[in-house]
């Protein structure tokens, strides 16, 4: 239909090509002149201008199509060797960035315009809902990244109906890439688990550990794992074990699947800054469960490596391992415990977690800059945790970074110290009022003043903690939040969109702007150019319905590991035992 084509073109010409404005105006001026009669030269000029405009428009269109086609083909078929670093800030929403940025400016005396490295690489934002809820958990969140599909809360790379979905890491391994996972929580926790195992429900950590070392449908798919969660690899017959069965998964990893194993900081340090080449595959489990919050870890630096240290060592190891390969590596690095600080509503723990994550992000950028191999860094969160608000009491418009700056320990660490103190003294004292006041004195002078950096604890606050030590963690965190005027709306997750950060690179435009979390997953596999669907097919053939048999029951709700809440329950039991003894 010529009548629609012409106005469209004309319209496009008039409003779209701003560079043509001059000739456009000239054209219009000419048209009004035709009202009073046209001369041949002016008609010729009009025709020429029209032809020129038409050609220019066509040229722009052709160029645009060519560019987008070239872009498309480049992206669909990755040409050279490439590395992909995917970072996950578990539970970090946009408010955590504002909190941490201002905190850093305050503590380091920086200008208001000073930003985090993350801020400088802001890329877009991600919508996070799962298939079963508007508020996702980390399992469904990580499945969206690993499988590029929405699934139910609790799913470890399983789809609704309990069918497995292939992951980007598995497909990368099959395509010849070297693969790694680095976290600060249990390596069997939901986020890392989703890249290298398939179970119906995230709490099946015994099974996840086995699949991660290679006892799964695809055998071994990971080459390097650094993190915590050693207890999930040790049998129920040993002290440090938290498995339900008597399998020694560390021994199994070494004997059956060829893993090298390191289990402490001194062994880790042997590989620091390339002192010694990291033999592959390498399993490093540096804590029985979580690696302590960065705020506490600093005071135990001789016992635990930091996230940035683990990430740097891992990147160097993967680079070395792929030195002679025509394929690069894929690694997932998680700032796992930003989420835990959110669950605990502890802002002083959280700012240090985010700062360490930012430092790690910077280290990855530096690595990419120095690397001879092309690479892309993409970083995002699975969801927000805590419903963090960087304000609290209307009509006051302020919050106090100084309160967070004065804390030297997390609420989690202080609660543990309290429980240990009670366990060591309960046998000799009864719960009389004198012991209650003793306990309050201990709480204030040994924990609140030196740990929280709070010198004006009220009697009510100390009473509450002394009477309910199992609730000490949230009580300590609340003391900080109230004084800093930081607000929280939940001890769980929230549905707010989370940020995406990137170094940029081929295809990264696909996740610019506001995208779905599954789009991030699509990007990962596209960038590597790997066939995840073939892995899904293989998994379905191999696992079949046995996934259900191996699966165990599927629980209700989000099933998030309630970190210290578990220990609080343990404490309760301890309390009962001691009380009845
Ligand atoms: C340890 O695991 C084995 C199975 O592997 C089981 O038979 C045994 O009862 C477990 N022991 C304890 C104390 O749970
Ligand atoms: C932080 O600690 C310093 C030094 O002990 C103290 O002077 C200051 O009042 C504290 N700030 C807050 C907000 O507690
Ligand atoms: Zn969580």
């Amino acid at each position: 239909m010529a009548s629609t084509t012409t106005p469209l073109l004309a319209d496009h010409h008039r409003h779209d090509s701003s560079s043509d404005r001059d000739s456009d105006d000239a054209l219009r001026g000419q048209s009004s002149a035709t009202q009073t009669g046209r001369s041949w030269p002016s008609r010729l000029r009009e025709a020429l201008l029209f032809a020129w405009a038409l050609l220019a428009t066509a040229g722009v269109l052709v160029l645009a199509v060519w560019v987008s086609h070239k872009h498309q083909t480049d992206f669909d078929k990755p040409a050279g060797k490439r590395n992909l670093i995917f970072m996950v800030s578990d539970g970090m929403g946009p408010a955590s960035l504002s909190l941490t940025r201002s905190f850093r400016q305050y503590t380091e005396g920086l200008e208001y315009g000073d930003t985090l490295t993350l801020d400088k690489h802001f890329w877009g934002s991600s919508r996070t809902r799962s298939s079963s809820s508007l508020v996702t958990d980390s399992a469904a969140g990580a499945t969206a990244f690993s499988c590029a599909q929405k699934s139910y809360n609790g799913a470890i790379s399983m789809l609704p109906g309990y069918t497995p979905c292939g992951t980007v890491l598995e497909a990368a391994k099959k395509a010849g890439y070297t693969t790694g996972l680095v976290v600060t929580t249990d390596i069997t926790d939901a986020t890392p688990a989703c890249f290298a195992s398939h179970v119906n429900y995230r709490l099946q950590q015994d099974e996840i550990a086995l699949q991660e070392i290679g006892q799964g449908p695809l055998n071994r798919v990971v080459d390097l794992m650094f993190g915590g969660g050693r207890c999930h690899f040790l049998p129920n017959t040993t002290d440090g074990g938290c498995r339900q069965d008597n399998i020694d998964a560390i021994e199994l990893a070494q004997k059956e699947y060829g893993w090298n194993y390191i289990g402490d900081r001194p062994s880790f340090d042997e590989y620091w800054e390339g002192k010694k080449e990291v033999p592959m595959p390498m399993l490093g489990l540096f804590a029985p469960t979580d690696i302590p919050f960065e705020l506490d870890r600093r005071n135990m630096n001789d016992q635990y490596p930091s996230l940035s240290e683990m990430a740097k060592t891992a990147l160097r190891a993967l680079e070395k391992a792929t030195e002679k390969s025509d394929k690069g590596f894929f690694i997932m690095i998680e700032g796992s415990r930003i989420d835990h600080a959110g669950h605990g509503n502890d802002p002083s723990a959280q700012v240090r977690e985010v700062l360490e994550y930012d430092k790690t992000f910077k280290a990855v950028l530096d690595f990419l800059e120095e690397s001879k191999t092309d690479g892309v860094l993409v970083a995002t969160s699975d969801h927000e945790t805590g419903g963090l608000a960087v304000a609290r009491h209307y009509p006051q418009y302020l919050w106090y970074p100084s309160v967070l700056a004065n804390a030297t320990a997390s609420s989690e660490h202080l609660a543990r110290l309290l429980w240990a103190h009670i366990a060591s003294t309960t046998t000799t004292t009864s719960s009389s009022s004198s012991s209650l006041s003793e306990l309050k004195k201990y709480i204030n002078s040994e924990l609140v003043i030196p740990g929280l950096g709070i010198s004006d604890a009220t009697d009510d606050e100390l009473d509450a903690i002394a009477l309910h030590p199992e609730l000490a963690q949230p009580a300590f965190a609340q003391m900080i939040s109230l004084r800093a005027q930081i607000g929280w709306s939940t001890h769980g997750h929230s549905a707010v969109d989370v940020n995406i950060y990137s170094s940029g690179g081929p295809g990264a435009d696909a996740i610019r702007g506001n995208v779905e979390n599954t789009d991030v997953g699509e990007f990962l596999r596209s960038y590597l150019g790997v066939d995840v669907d073939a892995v899904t097919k293989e998994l379905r053939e191999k696992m079949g319905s046995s996934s259900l048999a191996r699966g165990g029951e599927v629980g209700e709700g989000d099933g998030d590991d309630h970190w210290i809440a578990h220990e609080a329950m343990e404490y309760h039991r301890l309390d009962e035992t001691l009380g009845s003894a």
Side-chain angles (χ1 to χ4, degrees):
M1 286 194 339
S3 58
T4 50
T5 318
T6 318
L8 259 179
L9 257 178
D11 203 47
H12 169 79
H13 173 72
R14 218 174 298 139
H15 301 293
D16 255 13
S17 30
S18 53
S19 61
D20 284 349
R21 189 158 299 147
D22 289 349
S23 58
D24 198 41
D25 288 345
L27 199 65
R28 236 177 280 136
Q30 205 58 43
S31 317
S32 57
T34 59
Q35 306 289 350
T36 54
R38 291 167 150 185
S39 62
W40 265 109
S42 91
R43 276 202 189 186
L44 184 66
R45 194 168 163 232
E46 189 180 330
L48 280 172
L49 274 170
F50 182 72
W52 184 84
L54 209 60
L55 273 172
T57 308
V60 165
L61 282 175
V62 166
L63 193 70
V65 168
W66 179 75
V67 163
S68 95
H69 180 74
K70 184 174 182 319
H71 190 77
Q72 203 66 38
T73 43
D74 279 354
F75 183 42
D76 284 344
K77 294 179 194 148
K81 180 173 173 178
R82 52 184 59 197
N83 298 325
L84 176 58
I85 297 122
F86 180 50
M87 290 183 68
V88 178
S89 40
D90 199 312
M92 184 178 82
S96 300
L97 275 295
S98 314
L99 183 83
T100 307
R101 192 189 303 126
S102 300
F103 173 79
R104 182 160 164 274
Q105 288 166 4
Y106 170 82
T107 52
E108 296 181 20
L110 304 166
E111 302 285 314
Y112 70 83
D114 188 272
T115 58
L116 303 173
T117 303
L118 284 164
D119 292 320
K120 297 181 177 69
H121 293 84
F122 178 79
W123 199 256
S125 62
S126 163
R127 307 185 293 270
T128 66
R129 73 154 297 173
S130 70
S131 72
S132 64
S133 176
L134 289 172
V135 181
T136 189
D137 83 320
S138 292
T143 299
F145 302 142
S146 64
C147 292
Q149 301 216 50
K150 295 277 185 186
S151 194
Y152 56 91
N153 286 5
I156 302 295
S157 287
M158 288 295 227
L159 299 179
Y162 311 121
T163 54
C165 50
T167 78
V168 59
L169 183 143
E170 291 163 339
K173 178 69 182 171
K174 282 187 178 293
Y177 287 90
T178 304
T179 61
L181 298 170
V182 173
V183 303
T184 49
T185 184
D186 301 3
I187 195 74
T188 51
D189 200 49
T191 311
C194 279
F195 287 86
S197 68
H198 304 269
V199 296
N200 289 347
Y201 201 57
R202 58 182 293 165
L203 295 181
Q204 299 165 247
Q205 298 197 56
D206 289 357
E207 172 64 18
I208 290 168
L210 295 181
Q211 292 191 26
E212 283 180 338
I213 60 170
Q215 189 158 295
L218 304 175
N219 301 321
R220 186 174 63 77
V221 291
V222 198
D223 297 302
L224 179 146
M225 290 195 274
F226 282 165
R230 191 191 304 125
C231 87
H232 301 290
F233 292 78
L234 296 174
N236 63 5
T237 48
T238 62
D239 268 352
C242 60
R243 295 185 65 84
Q244 304 264 305
D245 57 30
N246 55 13
I247 297 174
D248 185 336
I250 292 176
E251 193 184 86
L252 187 69
Q254 291 169 294
K255 290 202 169 141
E256 288 291 317
Y257 302 100
W259 289 87
N260 299 277
Y261 173 71
I262 50 176
D264 54 28
R265 171 99 211 200
S267 317
F268 173 83
D269 287 343
E270 289 177 29
Y271 302 100
W272 179 241
E273 308 219 298
K275 263 189 269 173
K276 217 162 95 180
E277 193 172 317
V278 178
M280 297 289 218
M282 174 55 94
L283 174 64
L285 300 173
F286 307 114
T289 56
D290 297 316
I291 290 178
F293 280 126
E294 182 58 24
L295 178 57
D296 304 315
R297 194 204 61 81
R298 289 172 193 182
N299 307 319
M300 303 179 249
N301 189 40
D302 56 335
Q303 290 177 64
Y304 307 98
S306 67
L307 178 65
S308 57
E309 288 169 331
M310 289 192 290
K312 281 191 207 173
T313 302
L315 289 172
R316 195 186 280 272
L318 294 174
E319 182 176 52
K320 187 80 189 154
T322 53
E323 198 176 32
K324 296 190 178 76
S325 167
D326 62 343
K327 283 287 192 295
F329 62 78
F330 169 72
I331 185 173
M332 192 284 294
I333 301 169
E334 185 190 37
S336 318
R337 306 206 64 209
I338 299 168
D339 174 67
H340 295 179
H343 279 290
N345 289 185
D346 184 336
S348 12
Q350 182 160 96
V351 288
R352 274 75 171 199
E353 289 303 297
V354 176
L355 281 174
E356 181 62 21
Y357 183 75
D358 193 59
K359 185 176 173 185
T360 308
F361 185 91
K362 168 92 168 47
V364 174
L365 288 175
D366 291 346
F367 170 84
L368 284 174
E369 185 121 338
E370 287 161 22
S371 176
K372 286 190 272 303
T373 307
D374 286 342
V376 163
L377 162 61
V378 167
T380 190
S381 308
D382 44 3
H383 55 75
E384 194 269 355
T385 305
L388 171 64
V390 196
R392 187 160 186 137
H393 301 301
Y394 176 75
Q396 290 176 303
Y397 289 152
L398 47 79
W399 74 275
Y400 297 109
S402 56
V403 177
L404 311 190
N406 276 9
T408 59
S410 71
S411 55
E412 174 188 73
H413 183 66
L414 296 174
R416 284 200 184 121
L417 290 181
L418 175 60
W419 300 339
H421 173 79
I422 293 171
S424 71
T425 54
T426 313
T427 43
T428 53
T429 54
S430 62
S431 46
S432 65
S433 63
S434 77
S435 74
L436 186 72
S437 74
E438 286 282 305
L439 186 57
K440 280 167 64 180
K441 224 167 101 188
Y442 168 84
I443 293 169
N444 197 33
S445 63
E446 302 298 318
L447 305 177
V448 171
I449 294 172
L452 296 182
I454 289 175
S455 50
D456 62 352
T458 68
D459 211 45
D460 282 352
E461 285 172 327
L462 297 174
D463 257 339
I465 297 168
L467 290 170
H468 294 285
E470 76 278 10
L471 299 176
Q473 183 280 316
F476 284 139
Q478 165 123 317
M479 289 173 75
I480 289 271
S481 294
L482 280 171
R483 284 167 178 77
Q485 299 220 14
I486 292 299
W488 301 91
S489 65
T490 173
H491 277 280
H493 300 173
S494 80
V496 69
D497 290 355
V498 292
N499 292 344
I500 299 173
Y501 301 92
S502 181
S503 60
D509 278 349
I511 46 170
R512 270 278 191 199
N514 181 248
V515 299
E516 207 64 54
N517 55 3
T518 48
D519 293 328
V520 175
E522 286 289 346
F523 168 78
L524 300 179
R525 56 179 64 185
S526 305
Y527 180 76
L528 293 175
V530 295
D531 188 357
V532 184
D533 293 339
V535 178
T536 301
K537 195 160 165 277
E538 184 180 344
L539 283 169
R540 290 189 184 162
E541 280 160 15
K542 289 190 171 159
M543 290 173 80
S545 55
S546 70
S547 67
L548 269 181
R550 297 178 86 149
E553 85 284 12
V554 174
E556 284 277 307
D558 108 291
D560 208 346
D561 220 58
H562 243 268
W563 65 298
I564 202 162
H566 282 309
E567 276 178 75
M569 266 153 57
E570 289 297 319
Y571 165 79
H572 238 340
R573 261 178 246 136
L574 174 80
D575 197 36
E576 280 160 17
T577 319
L578 292 169
S580 64

